[in-house]
Amino acid sequence: MECPIDTKPRWERRKDARPQELLAAAIDLFVERGFASTRLEDVARRAGVSKGTLYLYFENKEELFKAVVRTSIVPVVAEAESSIAGFDGHSADLLRKVLMDWWERIGANKVSGIGKLVMAEAGNFPELAKFYQEEVISRGTRMFSSMLERGVTRGEFRDINITQMTQVLIAPMLMLVTWKHSVGPCERGDLEPQAFLNTFLDMALHGLLPATPPAA
């Protein structure tokens, strides 16, 4: 006996999944085309719904972009903050854990292209850049600074300029996602992201750890 075929339109069959499908489609198109070139009708089409259905959930393209950031990036930042607060081990191990978790949750996925989008289009969409700064960049910066302060306070890192070292640690992460979404796909010699992060951490930690006292 053949199973009956569900002839309902896609948007009628999966009403509960609509927002998630729209957000997934929005990530794809924002990363592929940028913010300015992404049209709401294309997002709706990619998600398999009508443009009118999209407006039931998101007032405009700006609100759709904010929803993408708040559902795909902000929760990862919040989890990292909780992880730092509850970590009991050495600060070097904490730093390694946070960087590797960031790559696994953000860097290795398509959503990492959102950061590059903001850098590329901030001049034309300053309000969106301000939103991203407040929701992601500022929190991420404070998070890295807190790890460095923890290490210095516990004597696990040497006394450093926290503000400057925070930016030094963040810069290679930005480079990695920029590379991934620009020249990376065209390069013949692939850069292995986790090996890159391990090499960077090895260099950074040897500069952060206090000098070993000379043998008696």
Side-chain angles (χ1 to χ4, degrees), residues 11 25 29 40-41 57 66 130 165 168 173 176 190 193:
W11 53 86
L29 291 172
L40 290 180
E41 51 263 42
Y57 299 96
K66 291 178 179 179
K130 180 181 178 182
M165 184 57 71
V168 167
M173 299 166 64
L176 196 55
D190 289 338

Side-chain angles (χ1 to χ4, degrees), residues 6 22 38 66 75 86 121 124 173 187 198 202:
D6 190 348
L22 286 165
T38 295
K66 291 178 179 179
E121 304 194 49
N124 294 324
M173 299 166 64
E187 275 196 352
N198 276 317
D202 181 66

Side-chain angles (χ1 to χ4, degrees), residues 83-198:
S83 177
I84 292 170
F87 194 82
D88 292 329
H90 195 287
S91 296
D93 295 328
L94 174 60
L95 183 60
R96 185 178 299 278
K97 171 179 167 52
V98 170
L99 258 68
M100 291 305 178
D101 285 352
W102 165 82
W103 176 256
E104 182 179 343
R105 299 287 305 279
I106 298 292
N109 299 307
K110 180 169 284 189
V111 72
S112 60
I114 296 296
K116 179 178 177 290
L117 177 157
V118 172
M119 288 189 285
E121 304 194 49
N124 294 324
F125 301 98
E127 289 303 314
L128 286 185
K130 180 181 178 182
F131 160 79
Y132 194 80
Q133 172 73 32
E134 294 172 349
E135 298 270 340
V136 178
I137 297 176
S138 293
R139 286 181 67 177
T141 300
R142 289 194 300 270
M143 183 180 70
F144 269 86
S145 295
S146 72
M147 285 191 288
L148 294 175
E149 290 168 354
R150 177 188 191 274
V152 172
T153 300
R154 292 162 60 108
E156 295 167 342
F157 293 160
R158 62 183 175 83
D159 191 16
I160 53 173
N161 184 311
I162 299 294
T163 301
Q164 295 301 324
M165 184 57 71
T166 295
Q167 298 303 322
V168 167
L169 291 177
I170 291 174
M173 299 166 64
L174 296 178
M175 186 285 294
L176 196 55
V177 295
T178 301
W179 168 86
K180 176 185 174 183
H181 292 280
S182 54
V183 299
C186 305
E187 275 196 352
R188 293 184 178 179
D190 289 338
L191 172 65
E192 207 291 299
Q194 290 178 316
F196 171 86
L197 289 173
N198 276 317

Side-chain angles (χ1 to χ4, degrees), residues 1-5:
M1 180 178 178
E2 294 185 359
C3 296
I5 298 175

Side-chain angles (χ1 to χ4, degrees), residues 50-63:
S50 68
K51 186 177 178 181
T53 299
L54 185 150
Y55 279 115
L56 294 176
Y57 299 96
F58 306 104
E59 183 179 353
N60 50 47
K61 187 164 66 170
E62 289 76 10
E63 292 304 313

